[in-house]
Amino acid sequence: MNRFEVMYLAVMNILGFMAMGIDKKRAINKEWRISEKTLFLLSILGGSIGTWSGMYLFHHKTKHWYFVIGMPAILIAQIVIVVYYGTAR
């Protein structure tokens, strides 16, 4: 991986982690929420480690089966892609 790819993934994971924390806080305060589509989009765009860790650290969306299964599935798919991409060079 080059420097740009590492920085991109770091930023996406920080955003995913922060989005989970912000959404949890907003849920508690009954405020406007971040959509589930946005949370999944952040994960799909490379922030799967951040969203998954934020999900469990903030105990947010852990009762929704599509998050419990979907976030790790996205992470596994991304790991497979990175490993394949890394060995194909």
Side-chain angles (χ1 to χ4, degrees):
M1 268 200 224
N2 65 35
R3 208 176 263 182
F4 172 76
E5 293 167 333
V6 171
M7 289 301 295
Y8 172 80
L9 290 175
V11 168
M12 292 308 296
N13 280 289
I14 290 167
L15 289 174
F17 183 81
M18 289 174 54
M20 281 294 189
I22 290 167
D23 194 49
K24 175 66 176 195
K25 184 176 180 182
R26 288 179 177 176
I28 291 169
N29 294 330
K30 309 233 186 290
E31 297 174 346
W32 175 83
R33 304 278 303 280
I34 297 171
S35 72
E36 291 180 348
K37 288 180 186 178
T38 301
L39 296 173
F40 269 104
L41 183 63
L42 285 168
S43 183
I44 289 168
L45 292 177
S48 56
I49 294 172
T51 53
W52 192 39
S53 60
M55 196 172 103
Y56 285 99
L57 181 71
F58 301 117
H59 303 283
H60 190 51
K61 304 288 187 187
T62 55
K63 293 183 180 179
H64 299 277
W65 68 267
Y66 44 91
F67 275 88
V68 173
I69 293 171
M71 291 298 170
I74 293 169
L75 175 58
I76 291 166
Q78 289 174 342
I79 289 169
V80 168
I81 290 167
V82 168
V83 168
Y84 177 78
Y85 177 70
T87 58
R89 285 186 171 182

